[in-house]
Amino acid sequence: MTILLWKCFHRITNGKLLQQRTMTLYNQTHGFQEDKIKAKLQQFSGGSVDLSKEDDGIGILTLNNPRFMNAFTGTMMIELQQQIAELENWKDGKGLIVHGTENTFCSGSDLNAVRALSSPQDGMNMCMFMQNILTRLMRLPLITVALIQGKALGGGAELTTACDFRLMTLESKVRFVHKQMGLVPGWGGAARLVRILGSSLALQLLSGAEKVDPERALRLGLVEAVLPSSEEPGSLQEARIWLHPYTKGPAEVIQAMKKIISAGRELQLEGALRTEKEIFGTVWGGPANLHALAQRTKHK
């Protein structure tokens, strides 16, 4: 009876939380015309966003457009949305590594699409489209890591801020180049960077369009570690090893842990506490909890 009640509560609560997680920041009430911008983005093809889901619960999201330093084409933006939707429903998932092919991360947006979408309305629609996607990436019930090899520029730098953690390799650089393009970040990167570094450091990196090498990134707290290997498959394996302690354990517990952190980051205190209570109810008396009690787990 206890297990049956737990399963029922777990199903209802998880349904509510999934609905909250996939809610978009923008819709038609904000003037956002998703179908219209997707139709325009579809015209700019090339590259791909590939997803592999491993048996150990670790996903690998790969930006694959090496001819243009893995810049996002229009179709890649749409594919990113599709892959995030799949990850939101991955019941056995625990972690995600985001990286680019051929030892570079991402150079932002494909300039062909940028030039063609130069009207203010098209720019705003693309801005809202990508903010929606990267917010959903940030809210995934998985522990996410950006593996930064080579260069992360502009929108690529913004993408790294949507992950929980960032790792750099020895030869890599991060640079928010928006000012050089007569722009400011539009994919949510500024708001997230302020939360990661604080307003003063975020302003320095954005207004100075500064190149941040691994040593400085580590000192600022922009990244958690610098990996010794600069090339695949070594750096990808090192990222998996770095991530392992945080994804060790049952998927439902790892996902619940990520959900309460997301709530604490985004909600006011009372809302975060209520969400934490609901998520606590999905694991209390659950299989992992009962197994630990049966094993008389001791903490040292």
Side-chain angles (χ1 to χ4, degrees):
M1 178 62 74
T2 301
I3 292 292
L4 183 61
L5 289 172
W6 176 83
K7 286 183 177 179
C8 181
F9 180 77
H10 183 270
R11 186 163 55 249
I12 293 170
T13 304
N14 264 7
K16 289 169 59 181
L17 293 170
L18 178 60
Q19 186 179 28
Q20 293 169 2
R21 209 166 55 237
T22 57
M23 287 177 62
T24 58
L25 292 172
Y26 304 107
N27 53 42
Q28 288 185 346
T29 62
H30 304 98
F32 178 45
Q33 300 171 314
E34 181 171 351
D35 291 341
K36 184 176 180 180
I37 193 63
K38 286 176 75 171
K40 290 195 174 184
L41 291 173
Q42 198 73 50
Q43 300 173 30
F44 306 100
S45 60
S48 62
V49 178
D50 306 319
L51 174 64
S52 65
K53 296 187 290 186
E54 309 297 332
D55 292 340
D56 60 358
I58 304 301
I60 308 295
L61 188 74
T62 306
L63 308 179
N64 186 5
N65 190 17
R67 183 181 171 192
F68 298 104
M69 293 174 57
N70 298 324
F72 272 98
T73 62
T75 53
M76 286 174 68
M77 292 180 186
I78 294 170
E79 286 183 18
L80 179 62
Q81 183 188 52
Q82 295 167 345
Q83 303 294 23
I84 296 301
E86 183 170 346
L87 288 165
E88 286 169 338
N89 293 286
W90 188 18
K91 293 182 180 179
D92 299 323
K94 297 190 282 186
L96 178 71
I97 298 172
V98 181
H99 77 125
T101 56
E102 297 195 10
N103 304 314
T104 195
F105 188 73
C106 175
S107 60
S109 301
D110 174 41
L111 292 180
N112 291 324
V114 170
R115 292 188 188 100
L117 300 172
S118 59
S119 76
Q121 187 57 55
D122 283 341
M124 289 289 284
N125 272 322
M126 184 176 68
C127 168
M128 290 186 278
F129 184 74
M130 288 302 291
Q131 281 193 17
N132 278 346
I133 296 172
L134 295 188
T135 299
R136 288 170 65 179
L137 169 61
M138 184 178 69
R139 291 174 176 170
L140 280 176
L142 310 172
I143 297 177
T144 58
V145 174
L147 170 57
I148 306 169
Q149 300 165 278
K151 295 178 180 179
L153 305 177
E158 292 191 69
L159 173 59
T160 71
T161 67
C163 294
D164 299 315
F165 302 113
R166 284 150 296 282
L167 306 174
M168 292 180 76
T169 60
L170 290 171
E171 307 299 324
S172 60
K173 295 282 188 298
V174 176
R175 189 181 185 194
F176 295 86
V177 297
H178 305 78
K179 188 181 79 168
Q180 309 288 59
M181 301 295 294
L183 295 170
V184 298
W187 295 359
R192 292 188 298 268
L193 190 64
V194 168
R195 290 172 179 262
I196 294 167
L197 297 181
S199 59
S200 295
L201 288 175
L203 184 59
Q204 286 181 32
L205 297 192
L206 294 178
S207 64
E210 299 177 5
K211 295 179 182 179
V212 183
D213 61 22
E215 182 180 356
R216 187 181 180 203
L218 195 60
R219 188 170 67 250
L220 294 177
L222 181 60
V223 301
E224 278 65 40
V226 178
L227 305 178
S229 297
S230 294
E231 298 186 359
E232 293 181 26
S235 58
L236 191 56
Q237 180 59 24
E238 288 166 2
R240 292 179 69 100
I241 292 170
W242 186 92
L243 182 59
H244 177 73
Y246 308 108
T247 56
K248 184 178 180 181
E252 65 269 21
V253 177
I254 303 302
Q255 291 194 16
M257 198 70 71
K258 173 62 185 289
K259 290 170 188 174
I260 63 171
I261 293 300
S262 294
R265 176 180 56 213
E266 295 189 43
L267 302 178
Q268 296 291 332
L269 179 59
E270 290 185 3
L273 291 172
R274 292 191 185 101
T275 301
E276 185 172 319
K277 177 262 296 180
E278 290 185 0
I279 295 170
F280 176 79
T282 68
V283 291
W284 177 269
N289 179 225
L290 294 178
H291 178 74
L293 292 173
Q295 296 295 313
R296 300 181 181 275
T297 302
K298 293 183 179 180
H299 311 289
K300 298 181 180 180

